[in-house]
Amino acid sequence: MLSARLGMMDRPARQVTAPTGRRVDGADGSAGERSVGGPVADDGSPVRQRGRVTLQTPLRDVVGARTATPLAAKLDLATVGDLLRHYPRRYERRGRMTDLAELVVGEKVTVLGTVRSVQERRPRPGSKVRSMTTVVVSDGSARISCAFFNQPWLGRLLTPGVTALFSGTVGRFRSELQLQSAQVAVIDDALGEGSQRIESLESFPGGVVPIYPLADGVSLTLVQRAVKTVLDVLETVDDPVPDVLLATRGLTGLDTALRDVHRPPSEERLDVARARLRYDEALALQLVLAQRRAAARRYPAVPCPPRPGGVLAAFDAALPFPLTDGQRGVGAQIAEDLSGEHPMHRLLQGEVGSGKTVVALRAMLQAVDAGRQAVLLAPTEVLAAQHARSLRTLLGPLGRGGELDAAPEAVKVTLLTGSLTTRARRQALLDLVSGEAGIAVGTHALLSGGVLFAELGLVVIDEQHRFGVEQRDALRGRRPDGASPPHVLVMTATPIPRTVAMTVYGDLETSVLEGLPAGRSPISTTVVPAAEKPAWLDRAWQRVREEVEAGHQAYVVCPKIGDDEPAAPGRAARRATLQDDDEGADWADGEGDGDGGSDGGPEGRRPPLAVLDVAERLAAGPLAGLVLRPLHGRLPPADKDRTMRDFAAGEVQVLVSTTVIEVGVDVPNATIMVVLDADRFGMSQLHQLRGRVGRGSAPGVCLLVTEAPPQTPALQRLAAVAATTDGFELAEADLQLRREGDVLGTSQAGRASGLKQLSLLRDRDVIAQARADATELIGDDPDLAGRPALAALAASVIRAPDQEFLEKS
Ligand code: ADP
Ligand code: MG
């Protein structure tokens, strides 16, 4: 059945009335020329006298400048290959051609008929309808009228005698059958002036009409014709993927796949074609990633082998707890990487509380023992300050390097953030450039803005999801001063589904830190349906009081800050659909709060609860008498830092906060967390949040408060979070619920994406296969110098602007 949009995307009125009377788009010439059979460009000249047509041939040479120009300008399609990789978005099938005599009111139908009469009606004054064209169509036995609104040019096109395909819903108008919301799809060729712009049905085998993504000034017909012209003259496409591999993977050849995807002879062939093209995308992506991994191996690194008798040995000896098996295993792996001749690029995933900081610190100490400096980067200044504190605590006397009473092997930990006083900053910079500071902690700004290191050996990036491939790439090259690139360890507590790890983080080797330190208390999570059971909410606040009375502390988390935040509809809308992970502000302004932006949510939904309101109301109501303090990303850094310090010191009993506490904050005495409007957070995000409690010996409690009605997906999501503490499981579930584009970062409309067929949700196996294949194909030839066709494949599918998706997320 033809859908509403078929064939009607173009508004060729302007072209119809072109003064020359000539067609100005499309790609074939006059009927005379066509009868000779040779394809012609849009300037009337026969195409391809200049050589073979391959995927690399500029489109201009094949379809002519008039067609090629808008394709290049609007859709960024410059070569034959670009056009053929511009796959149909969907297909319309002629399907059952309805006999006019058998039409049933209410049915959506497509009929092939000949125009008998055309009537143009003027609208009544004031009507929204600007014009109405009624066309009576006959199939020889019966008649039906079709009503078109605001498409006066159709009247000029559909002159009596023209045969066309009409689609629409059968309705009744003044007791006559009428095709309403009618669309003209495909018109038979024997037509008058101007009609060649609508592709003839015969040219679509099986009546399957490809519908392409379009742009302003690029009509469906223009694309359809360009594709047809190109396919007619295209030489057999050389397959970049070796035959053996195709056979192993059971894939069809590229030539067949490209032709079939544009002109599918059957459903089966279309599926086969798509499978091949999906693989190509996965392979191209994995080739690029494998190249990045290989590139790192090309640079030398300064090996940092462990040194007996150094600060790491002293640290291990003083450690008050045994390392977990996971910490030991991953630690050994990292120690080996650091000893290597090439830079480490490793992703360390570990649940919240699994003890990544100790792993990172031990790696840093190994670098220090080798005479190098190490840097720890956090996504926000709050976290950087906290990391600096916890490193110093973990190090004890070993962290007092430079002080008079320090142990000889002690190291100096320097915090460098934007909120330092000028003096403190100068001192910190001096510590770094002189090598006095063995360990520096800061935000990503540490790596820019002219901060110099004496001997940078290792960069640890905590909470990876704020740090993109591009930033990682910047670390991968030589330092501006010509020094070797540092080793890089990336740590994330957000469990990453396997497909995402293989794509967005595919340039890194990955390790998983399994297990939690012994003596960890379980977190119990409960959903509090506040609308249905208001008494439960009262009970929740009572629980908070009980914890505080027992000497513990509490978090109350809200989706929003609540001062006069400027409206940010885009973010609000995303937030309303529970897309987490997009707190780009953290990097954009060096400091973030991850709040929900403006009052958001679908129509009729109340604005999200805000930190400032909630803090006030709790202080005056259910939590009166407790020491409450608000925390959010827009507080001045010094205030944030003081609040966190006071909370860590136990002077603040209840922290009312945005998701600024989502990652890394470590206050073991905090035992209860109440998340308000919990349905406005993503599942992984909730999991992150609750990791803030239960970090000490007392059991943790997390209460997810929501007004989402029972049986809604929102409530089911919360129930899923309450039901498991397995972050990987939740991450997979979260991924299922997110739109693909949000994962790949390709959701912005109009952005040409190299990944059109591939789905992270569906195609996990394809991605895994392609990853293995790419690794093998690259071998020790990262530039693919020996396999130019594969290099071209990678470049054609993952074109430069599309690499952006790697940077996002
Ligand atoms: P995360 O992986 O979330 O960053 P942290 O590194 O902050 O976890 O560790 C959480 C807490 O567990 C810290 O207080 C840390 O000192 C403690 N910890 C780390 N490793 C161990 C261990 N092997 N045994 C006991 N406690 C540990
Ligand atoms: Mg941490």
Side-chain angles (χ1 to χ4, degrees):
M1 184 179 317
L2 293 179
S3 96
R5 287 219 280 289
L6 177 57
M8 303 313 294
M9 291 163 167
D10 29 352
R11 287 285 313 275
R14 195 176 52 80
Q15 291 95 321
V16 171
T17 56
T20 58
R22 283 197 51 182
R23 213 171 19 76
V24 294
D25 67 354
D28 56 2
S30 71
E33 279 164 333
R34 226 174 343 164
S35 61
V36 202
V40 284
D42 60 6
D43 57 1
S45 64
V47 298
R48 290 330 301 161
Q49 295 167 331
R50 291 169 284 250
R52 311 170 52 214
V53 176
T54 67
L55 295 182
Q56 282 70 45
T57 308
L59 270 178
R60 180 173 298 267
D61 294 353
V62 185
V63 299
R66 281 202 201 98
T67 301
T69 303
L71 287 174
K74 307 292 178 137
L75 292 173
D76 203 18
L77 308 174
T79 64
V80 165
D82 292 345
L83 179 67
L84 293 181
R85 298 265 183 207
H86 188 70
Y87 308 127
R89 193 154 43 87
R90 60 195 168 85
Y91 302 83
E92 294 298 350
R93 286 175 180 81
R94 186 172 48 182
R96 181 175 62 100
M97 291 292 294
T98 312
D99 202 327
L100 270 185
E102 294 171 357
L103 295 180
V104 177
V105 172
E107 242 186 341
K108 275 192 147 187
V109 297
T110 301
V111 299
L112 183 65
T114 305
V115 176
R116 292 295 168 215
S117 66
V118 183
Q119 201 182 12
E120 195 70 46
R121 257 184 259 170
R122 291 286 193 74
R124 261 171 297 154
S127 157
K128 269 202 205 117
V129 175
R130 277 171 288 113
S131 84
M132 178 174 155
T133 313
T134 311
V135 179
V136 175
V137 178
S138 153
D139 68 351
S141 63
R143 291 173 177 240
I144 188 169
S145 70
C146 307
F148 299 95
F149 298 100
N150 300 335
Q151 299 167 67
W153 53 272
L154 269 173
R156 291 189 286 277
L157 201 58
L158 297 172
T159 50
V162 166
T163 302
L165 204 50
F166 299 85
S167 70
T169 308
V170 181
R172 213 176 270 286
F173 181 70
R174 294 190 184 143
S175 82
E176 300 261 301
L177 285 186
Q178 187 180 60
L179 217 49
Q180 288 162 351
S181 314
Q183 310 287 329
V184 182
V186 176
I187 297 185
D188 180 79
D189 242 353
L191 304 177
E193 168 82 22
S195 59
Q196 299 102 326
R197 82 193 58 266
I198 299 186
E199 189 58 281
S200 89
L201 180 60
E202 282 64 50
S203 60
F204 300 107
V208 176
V209 182
I211 307 299
Y212 292 92
L214 300 173
D216 247 8
V218 181
S219 71
L220 180 62
T221 314
L222 182 136
V223 179
Q224 287 175 340
R225 283 180 176 269
V227 168
K228 181 174 192 295
T229 306
V230 159
L231 287 180
D232 285 348
V233 294
L234 180 68
E235 304 243 327
T236 304
V237 175
D238 291 334
D239 206 312
V241 179
D243 288 345
V244 215
L245 197 49
L246 290 181
T248 322
R249 300 299 185 200
L251 296 165
T252 190
L254 183 57
D255 188 76
T256 312
L258 284 177
R259 291 176 199 272
D260 285 0
V261 79
H262 292 284
R263 318 227 136 202
S266 68
E267 288 279 349
E268 294 70 36
R269 291 273 296 268
L270 179 58
D271 288 346
V272 168
R274 281 177 156 166
R276 165 60 204 261
L277 299 173
R278 256 198 305 277
Y279 176 83
D280 275 10
E281 289 177 8
L283 185 66
L285 173 58
Q286 294 300 335
L287 284 171
V288 170
L289 292 166
Q291 284 176 315
R292 285 171 190 250
R293 291 195 302 272
R297 290 195 296 271
R298 249 190 285 183
Y299 285 105
V302 177
C304 300
R307 182 162 63 85
V311 62
L312 175 56
F315 175 78
D316 281 348
L319 205 59
F321 45 72
L323 294 176
T324 63
D325 288 348
Q327 284 170 324
R328 234 189 307 271
V330 166
Q333 173 88 67
I334 292 171
E336 195 186 318
D337 289 350
L338 290 175
S339 313
E341 310 262 303
H342 301 289
M344 165 176 77
H345 286 275
R346 184 166 292 279
L347 171 68
L348 174 59
Q349 298 186 62
E351 283 276 2
V352 277
S354 57
K356 293 183 293 297
T357 312
V358 173
V359 172
L361 178 54
R362 294 187 67 250
M364 292 193 277
L365 295 178
Q366 184 172 331
V368 170
D369 276 337
R372 302 272 134 183
Q373 289 166 298
V375 166
L376 174 57
L377 299 182
T380 67
E381 296 205 341
V382 170
L383 283 171
Q386 178 166 336
H387 268 315
R389 267 196 303 278
S390 47
L391 292 187
R392 285 185 189 125
T393 308
L394 278 168
L395 283 164
L398 291 172
R400 290 210 289 272
E403 294 173 32
L404 281 178
D405 59 343
E409 64 275 24
V411 57
K412 179 166 185 175
V413 178
T414 293
L415 174 66
L416 183 62
T417 61
S419 51
L420 290 186
T421 62
T422 312
R423 222 188 114 156
R425 181 177 172 81
R426 197 173 309 138
Q427 182 60 51
L429 290 172
L430 201 62
D431 286 349
L432 295 179
V433 72
S434 66
E436 176 85 11
I439 294 178
V441 184
T443 62
H444 71 310
L446 239 184
L447 292 186
S448 55
V451 179
L452 294 177
F453 293 89
E455 312 250 24
L456 184 56
L458 168 65
V459 175
V460 179
I461 302 163
D462 195 17
E463 305 312 343
Q464 153 65 13
H465 56 292
R466 311 264 177 13
F467 204 84
V469 166
E470 198 175 50
Q471 285 129 324
R472 296 201 292 270
D473 262 3
L475 288 175
R476 208 158 276 178
R478 276 190 184 280
R479 308 298 306 153
D481 57 6
S484 303
H487 298 281
V488 177
L489 176 65
V490 167
M491 304 196 296
T492 174
T494 312
I496 300 167
R498 228 164 65 82
T499 47
V500 180
M502 286 189 297
T503 50
V504 181
Y505 306 94
D507 59 320
L508 303 170
E509 312 291 340
T510 61
S511 326
V512 176
L513 181 52
E514 311 265 11
L516 294 179
R520 231 1 107 67
S521 316
I523 303 171
S524 66
T525 305
T526 308
V527 178
V528 178
E532 261 180 295
K533 305 200 166 115
W536 287 30
L537 185 57
D538 298 341
R539 175 77 191 116
W541 299 128
Q542 203 184 324
R543 282 288 284 119
V544 171
R545 297 194 82 100
E546 285 165 17
E547 290 296 320
V548 170
E549 272 153 27
H552 295 302
Q553 290 160 281
Y555 297 100
V556 176
V557 182
C558 307
K560 186 177 165 244
I561 298 176
D563 52 1
D564 291 314
E565 296 160 61
R571 287 188 71 190
R574 280 208 303 282
R575 180 66 43 175
T577 53
L578 291 161
Q579 310 302 330
D580 63 350
D581 264 22
D582 62 350
E583 284 114 29
D586 285 357
W587 282 117
D589 58 21
E591 186 58 36
D593 54 66
D595 72 297
S598 67
D599 291 11
E603 296 283 330
R605 216 172 149 194
R606 70 155 167 70
L609 290 171
V611 164
L612 298 177
D613 294 348
V614 167
E616 211 167 287
R617 277 192 277 154
L618 289 178
L623 300 184
L626 306 189
V627 186
L628 270 72
R629 190 86 67 79
L631 178 72
H632 58 78
R634 261 206 300 284
L635 288 173
D639 289 6
K640 268 187 287 197
D641 202 41
R642 183 158 34 81
T643 298
M644 272 320 297
R645 251 199 326 261
D646 292 350
F647 188 66
E651 285 158 29
V652 170
Q653 293 169 319
V654 181
L655 196 64
V656 184
S657 173
T658 57
T659 53
V660 68
I661 55 146
E662 177 185 347
V663 286
V665 170
D666 186 18
V667 178
N669 191 42
T671 50
I672 183 166
M673 170 176 289
V674 181
V675 184
L676 296 176
D677 279 344
D679 51 292
R680 301 205 189 225
F681 298 91
M683 294 168 81
S684 288
Q685 198 177 17
L686 290 171
H687 182 64
Q688 284 293 118
L689 282 168
R690 71 180 163 183
R692 304 302 111 217
V693 294
R695 294 171 81 84
S697 51
V701 175
C702 176
L703 303 175
L704 305 176
V705 179
T706 177
E707 290 176 6
Q711 309 299 329
T712 54
L715 204 67
Q716 284 160 7
R717 263 196 314 264
L718 296 182
V721 174
T724 179
T725 51
D726 184 331
F728 280 91
E729 201 178 296
L730 285 174
E732 292 280 355
D734 214 14
L735 182 62
Q736 305 293 330
L737 293 165
R738 294 161 60 136
R739 283 182 307 124
E740 189 86 353
D742 293 307
V743 180
L744 285 176
T746 51
S747 57
Q748 278 130 301
R751 162 116 64 84
S753 164
L755 301 184
K756 294 157 187 158
Q757 302 281 329
L758 194 70
S759 157
L760 283 192
L761 306 185
R762 268 194 336 252
D763 300 327
R764 188 208 296 234
D765 295 346
V766 179
I767 294 171
Q769 289 176 354
R771 185 173 179 86
D773 296 345
T775 309
E776 190 156 318
L777 288 167
I778 288 263
D780 42 15
D781 177 18
D783 294 328
L784 288 170
R787 296 180 184 274
L790 277 180
L793 172 72
S796 72
V797 177
I798 311 294
R799 287 187 292 161
D802 303 328
Q803 290 204 14
E804 249 181 82
F805 85 91
L806 291 167
E807 267 89 75
K808 298 285 284 184
S809 205

